[in-house]
Amino acid sequence: MTRSFPSGDEKSARRGARVQNDAIISLENVSQQFDGTTVLHDISLSVKNREFFTLLGPSGCGKTTILRILAGFETPTSGSVHIGGRDVTDLAPNRRKVNTVFQSYALFPHMTVFENVAFGLRMSRTPKAELQARVAEMLHMVELEGLEGRKPQQLSGGQQQRVAIARAAVNKPLVLLLDEPLSALDAKLRKQMQRELKHLQRRLGITFVFVTHDQEEAFSLSDRVVVMDQGRIEQVGTPIEVYEEPVNLRVAKFVGETNILDAEVLGQEMTCPDGSLKARVEGEERACLLKAKRPFGEGCRVKVVLRPEDLIVHSHRPSAEAGLSLEGVVDETIYKGTTYDIAITLKTGKKLLVTEFFDEDDEKMIVAAGQPVFVTWIKGWEVVLPDDPA
Ligand code: ATP
């Protein structure tokens, strides 16, 4: 059943419905320098209302700095920040309709769960009856009813996490900022909290801006992600777009396992639909056709990106219709339950990783270390990218 906003909050619900899908956050040409070093380079981004939006990238790429700029803990060196249609670039943190959930939760240890959650409402002098109703509503949402009287140290990690979210969400911010909030949890609890966080975001109906360096976590939670590297935006898109159509090799390598083949463009294939390149892959004599989303001139060196699940292993050389087949030897196979990974070294020395669904009844599929094999890929699933040295 979909929960409705508590009475008294109809206004905010109506406002939420009205601006749904509009940009609730926009950063325009934001740069940040610390001690003369630029850590954010000309960032322009917009986040839609009620979106689960994730900043993803390696350590030090500037994710937390963006979050701190949104929260108002940092003022950008240049550029502007709008939240809810208002220019907040120079506005103090407590005057923004934004709250932050920190990695450490930062709960008040001497206060009970109830008092922790009520804190923001007390600061804004919310009348007692309304305060009690809103805290109760919030504790119900995060499934902490019955634990109101406990202190943080009497709670599990997951429960503390939920208190931190309830405390940040109780005064209905436009945006909740979450800085690696699951990183302190063990793997099993982390997975459970990921699911809870997503459901909670839908129930609360507010925008979440989430920071993580964990690609799987980002993909499983987010409507859209921005992939960052060294203070720059590499790509913004849905998880599927970023995984299946990485815009460059940095994104391709950062999000998931990648196989990267070397190729040389021989020319545009005129007899085929737009975007087909005739190319020589991994030095093979036989040319093959590659689907490319951008033009590449004759003689261009390119990279062909293929995910492990795009590749197919054959124990005998397949017919020409299967496309180009690359010869190699199996290094090892790793059984993973429903799938198994096959590590292969091509005769060029290139290492490949292939993921196949495991079917114990299909003996043809099961290969062993040392076995010669041929690798093809599902036609059209390749991504052709410029040969970027990075
Ligand atoms: P992590 O995943 O490790 O938290 P991050 O992507 O969140 O990393 P930031 O914390 O935003 O990265 O840091 C980006 C860069 O800015 C880093 O090189 C960091 O050392 C630097 N930096 C951040 N805050 C400051 C500061 N107050 N003074 C000087 N340098 C800073």
Side-chain angles (χ1 to χ4, degrees), residues 159-200:
Q159 289 165 337
Q160 289 180 37
Q161 166 75 97
R162 282 185 248 157
V163 178
I165 292 171
R167 187 181 60 175
V170 73
N171 54 2
K172 301 269 178 231
L174 288 176
V175 178
L176 210 58
L177 306 172
L178 300 106
D179 192 358
E180 305 235 17
L182 308 181
S183 59
L185 306 176
D186 68 46
K188 194 165 168 219
L189 188 55
R190 190 168 175 153
K191 283 256 180 289
Q192 184 192 330
M193 283 305 294
Q194 285 172 2
R195 281 193 292 275
E196 285 190 18
L197 206 56
K198 182 141 184 151
H199 292 149
L200 191 60

Side-chain angles (χ1 to χ4, degrees), residues 96-109:
R96 301 181 180 204
K97 291 202 69 119
V98 163
N99 277 337
T100 307
V101 178
F102 297 97
Q103 196 169 3
S104 59
Y105 316 145
L107 298 177
F108 304 118

Side-chain angles (χ1 to χ4, degrees), residues 137-151:
E137 164 78 14
M138 195 50 66
L139 290 175
H140 174 75
M141 259 194 205
V142 297
E143 295 173 14
L144 285 178
E145 288 154 314
L147 301 183
E148 294 84 346
R150 291 219 195 147
K151 299 271 178 64

Side-chain angles (χ1 to χ4, degrees), residues 23-28 70 80-89:
I24 194 116
I25 294 174
S26 73
L27 297 178
E28 281 160 34
L70 291 174
S80 64
V81 183
H82 285 75
I83 296 177
R86 183 177 182 201
D87 188 338
V88 299
T89 315

Side-chain angles (χ1 to χ4, degrees), residues 34-35 39 57-66 74 180 211 213:
F34 291 118
D35 309 324
V39 301
S59 181
C61 71
K63 306 179 295 292
T64 301
T65 304
I66 292 187
E74 303 285 356
E180 305 235 17
V211 161
H213 57 264

